[in-house]
Amino acid sequence: MEAGPGFSLPASRSYSDGHSIACLVLFLVAAFVTVRPIIIPVTLPNSLGFILYKLRLRNDQLLKRRTYHLPIDLNVGPLAAVLILLASKSIGIVEFRAGIKGRGDLHPYDILLLFLSLAYIAISLDSTGALRFLAFWVAKKGGTSGWKLHFYLFVFFLVLGGIVGNDPVILSGTAFLAYFTQACGIKPPTAWIFSQFIAANLTSMVLVSSNPTNLVISSASGINFIYFSGWTILPALFASIVLYPLLMFRYFRTTSPALVPRVLDTPEVYPRGELKDVRGAIFKAILLAVTLITLIVSSVLVPGIKVYWVTLPAAVLCFVRDMGHDIKHGSAPEEFENEFQADGLQTSADGVEMKVVSPRNDDISPASSEDKDNHEFNAQRWTLPGLWKKFAKRLPTVYSVVTRLPWPLLPFAFSFFILVESLSSSGWISVWAGWMSDVVRNNDVTAVFFVGFICILLCNISTNIGATLILVDIIYDERFTASNPSKRVQYGALFAIAVGSNVGAYSFVFPASLAGLLWRGILRQKGVELGSVQFLKQNILPLILTATVALAVVVGEVRIIFPDG
């Protein structure tokens, strides 16, 4: 199998010089802090409050909190590594440009624009209450039977994850499950939330648009969207079929308390009441369906088309509709009234945590008169927090969707694209490609299972995006292709990456995927705490089973499609 038209790896230098070693070390450091963030306490001087106030970035001049916890994580670590490599001249403008613009048919900006565009439409659809309506409708069909309801929701999340991707399912489904299990008196909700998380990530391998890693594989290989789905739908289907008996064995056994009770005391639910914007739900569902169909058809009929040409106009149309709806009907939801009461930045699940360490009462300057209060109120209206609050109150739907978009994906993904380019130009990808060739030895079974499980392992070191970028570069490197691998090996290795990068999301650590961090953050907001050991214990058996079955199906596919090797 040839790489996508024009896809080529950059010329590499010796991997033994200082700059090459720096590229490897900083990549490993960036990967480490992505999985295991480092918290650094930062003490800020009082004068900084005055500067921020003058720049209209704060509502008052005095800092109420002096020491903050700054995490060096996926938002900071990879970007810092890139800046250090640029400053030390270990990489140059060539690697930086390739990490942003891409090379050949692999364009990072194209992939991220497509993913964010579809994410906007899917999250906007969710803002209408459509996904909650469907979830409650499915729950009502399950009646009072806990076993039947668990199965219905499992299938529901499987199908939805295959259509809209894992992020929208996690955004809407996790909050629904937290509410529903609490209303039914199910504690802990382990069986329900882990079944949802695994199902959504397992079937996200089906459509190219469902996961950024699928987009990387499709772009690098030049495979159109229909062909990609033709390869991945059977591994996802068979893995799903064998997965549910394992979940039944694990969760349906009689325990105290029962994880999946045989009979549920379900609350009275009214699915229709969850739809906040019926016309919007219909419009956005049709828009999403048309966009996905157009995306699939255009990838076949118009080879080389920029995929964001299809998705970005659709997202803009959805955005305009949201703005029109807010201008006509908009009023701030109640939660917005309390969201901006606290001064400064808000704590987020995965963002910078602004945590009080040593508050002091004398940092607060009381108003001396009513005039002063009015003056400060008017001044605050034109600060950044004040404008943000006005935006939230005037355009609540747009605000809700925009703030739920996976923005951390942008700096993280671009940084990892650049870091992988640095590994290519410094010779490390070629070294690893040689090792891969020695292990595979043109054997399709070895290629599929070795690449698949290596991909899962790398997901827990550099997230599924980093793992996909590295392995795609390896299987297209000259050191690997020089051994003239058979089509079975080429296609088997490629779709083993597709399997590994999706099932690897539910493996050992939360940051194996950005979806894992998002899922944990939502559960924390709902009062459900999950530890790393529990995450590993709940995922390890489903991971081994689904990965083994899905990779075995890939082996069967390459042997049937390429009978002569």
Side-chain angles (χ1 to χ4, degrees):
M1 176 184 59
E2 299 293 334
F7 181 87
S8 61
L9 295 174
S12 60
R13 56 178 181 264
S14 171
Y15 63 90
S16 59
D17 64 24
H19 289 303
S20 297
I21 293 174
C23 290
L24 177 61
V25 170
L26 284 172
F27 174 83
L28 293 176
V29 170
F32 176 80
V33 298
T34 296
V35 177
R36 302 281 296 183
I38 299 173
I39 308 298
I40 300 177
V42 179
T43 302
L44 302 178
N46 283 336
S47 57
L48 182 60
F50 178 76
I51 296 174
L52 294 176
Y53 173 75
K54 288 299 183 182
L55 293 174
R56 300 289 185 179
L57 298 178
R58 285 178 58 86
N59 287 336
D60 55 55
Q61 301 183 35
L62 297 178
L63 287 174
K64 298 178 182 178
R65 298 161 289 189
R66 289 193 172 183
T67 303
Y68 303 95
H69 284 169
L70 176 67
I72 307 299
D73 55 7
L74 63 88
N75 297 314
V76 179
L79 181 59
V82 170
L83 295 177
I84 294 172
L85 288 176
L86 286 170
S88 64
K89 297 185 178 180
S90 296
I91 60 173
I93 192 63
V94 174
E95 290 85 359
F96 184 82
R97 185 191 301 117
I100 304 296
K101 186 179 179 181
R103 45 184 159 82
D105 279 354
L106 180 59
H107 303 295
Y109 70 90
D110 190 13
I111 292 172
L112 295 176
L113 278 175
L114 179 146
F115 185 72
L116 285 176
S117 299
L118 287 178
Y120 185 93
I121 299 172
I123 295 171
S124 182
L125 174 63
D126 180 39
S127 72
T128 66
L131 300 188
R132 286 177 61 85
F133 162 77
L134 291 174
F136 275 96
W137 181 80
V138 171
K140 191 170 184 178
K141 291 296 181 182
T144 59
S145 171
W147 292 5
K148 183 189 295 185
L149 178 58
H150 185 271
F151 174 73
Y152 284 178
L153 288 174
F154 175 76
V155 174
F156 171 69
F157 290 129
L158 280 175
V159 174
L160 204 60
I163 296 174
V164 300
N166 52 6
D167 281 349
V169 174
I170 288 170
L171 279 168
S172 183
T174 306
F176 161 76
L177 285 177
Y179 159 76
F180 193 81
T181 53
Q182 183 180 13
C184 293
I186 302 174
K187 294 182 180 180
T190 306
W192 306 80
I193 58 177
F194 275 96
S195 297
Q196 173 234 6
F197 184 69
I198 293 171
N201 285 289
L202 175 58
T203 54
S204 64
M205 74 173 75
V206 175
L207 292 183
V208 173
S209 55
S210 295
N211 197 321
T213 61
N214 300 344
L215 292 164
V216 172
I217 296 169
S218 175
S219 299
S221 62
I223 291 176
N224 66 55
F225 287 17
I226 292 180
Y227 197 62
F228 182 95
S229 297
W231 277 88
T232 55
I233 191 169
L234 288 181
L237 177 62
F238 279 95
S240 301
I241 291 173
V242 299
L243 171 62
Y244 198 71
L246 173 63
L247 298 179
M248 290 177 62
F249 174 77
R250 168 177 282 184
Y251 297 135
F252 286 17
R253 291 179 297 174
T254 302
T255 58
S256 181
L259 296 177
V260 181
R262 185 185 294 268
V263 178
L264 284 176
D265 183 16
T266 56
E268 188 69 27
V269 295
Y270 301 96
R272 180 62 177 79
E274 296 299 319
L275 277 174
K276 296 177 288 186
D277 179 9
V278 178
R279 292 183 179 179
I282 295 173
F283 171 80
K284 294 168 187 179
I286 294 174
L287 179 63
L288 179 61
V290 171
T291 303
L292 290 175
I293 293 172
T294 304
L295 196 62
I296 293 171
V297 172
S298 63
S299 71
V300 177
L301 300 181
V302 190
I305 186 176
K306 296 286 191 294
V307 288
Y308 76 88
W309 291 352
V310 176
T311 58
L312 188 58
V316 171
L317 180 60
C318 188
F319 175 80
V320 170
R321 197 272 172 192
D322 287 342
M323 284 194 65
H325 177 269
D326 283 345
I327 292 172
K328 185 177 181 180
H329 305 287
S331 60
E334 293 180 4
E335 59 266 26
F336 292 150
E337 296 298 329
N338 298 322
E339 185 172 349
F340 295 94
Q341 294 299 320
D343 177 62
L345 296 176
Q346 300 294 312
T347 300
S348 64
D350 303 312
V352 177
E353 182 184 2
M354 310 303 283
K355 183 178 180 181
V356 181
V357 175
S358 57
R360 289 178 47 173
N361 292 331
D362 57 1
D363 287 336
I364 303 175
S365 178
S368 59
S369 66
E370 185 177 346
D371 291 340
K372 185 174 181 180
D373 286 341
N374 292 333
H375 173 75
E376 289 184 353
F377 174 77
N378 291 329
Q380 290 175 12
R381 293 178 61 187
W382 302 107
T383 60
L384 185 60
L387 293 173
W388 189 241
K389 182 177 180 180
K390 290 179 64 177
F391 166 63
K393 295 181 70 173
R394 190 69 186 91
L395 302 172
T397 304
V398 176
Y399 169 85
S400 175
V401 177
V402 168
T403 53
R404 293 168 68 192
L405 285 172
W407 295 114
L409 178 66
L410 291 179
F412 170 77
F414 278 129
S415 297
F416 255 97
F417 272 109
I418 296 170
L419 289 172
V420 172
E421 288 294 331
S422 75
L423 294 177
S424 295
S425 63
S426 59
W428 291 107
I429 294 294
S430 291
V431 172
W432 299 335
W435 295 351
M436 180 85 75
S437 179
D438 292 339
V439 172
V440 171
R441 293 187 179 277
N442 215 11
N443 183 290
D444 56 332
V445 177
T446 304
V448 170
F449 280 94
F450 180 75
V451 173
F453 281 103
I454 285 293
C455 184
I456 293 171
L457 179 63
L458 287 176
C459 287
N460 294 274
I461 298 174
S462 59
T463 77
N464 56 355
I465 293 177
T468 303
L469 292 172
I470 292 172
L471 290 174
V472 166
D473 270 10
I474 285 176
I475 66 173
Y476 285 126
D477 188 85
E478 292 180 354
R479 294 278 301 271
F480 185 81
T481 58
S483 61
N484 294 318
S486 65
K487 287 188 176 296
R488 287 181 178 180
V489 169
Q490 293 172 3
Y491 278 87
L494 186 71
F495 287 101
I497 299 173
V499 171
S501 63
N502 283 275
V503 304
Y506 54 91
S507 49
F508 310 144
V509 296
F510 290 103
S513 68
L514 297 183
L517 295 173
L518 178 65
W519 183 66
R520 181 181 62 178
I522 296 173
L523 288 174
R524 279 180 175 173
Q525 293 172 6
K526 303 301 179 182
V528 180
E529 287 289 340
L530 294 177
S532 299
V533 175
Q534 183 184 12
F535 185 78
L536 171 62
K537 286 182 177 180
Q538 294 295 327
N539 287 332
I540 189 66
L541 288 180
L543 170 69
I544 294 173
L545 179 63
T546 56
T548 301
V549 170
L551 293 174
V553 173
V554 171
V555 172
E557 287 178 328
V558 296
R559 293 201 167 191
I560 292 173
I561 295 174
F562 305 111
D564 300 326

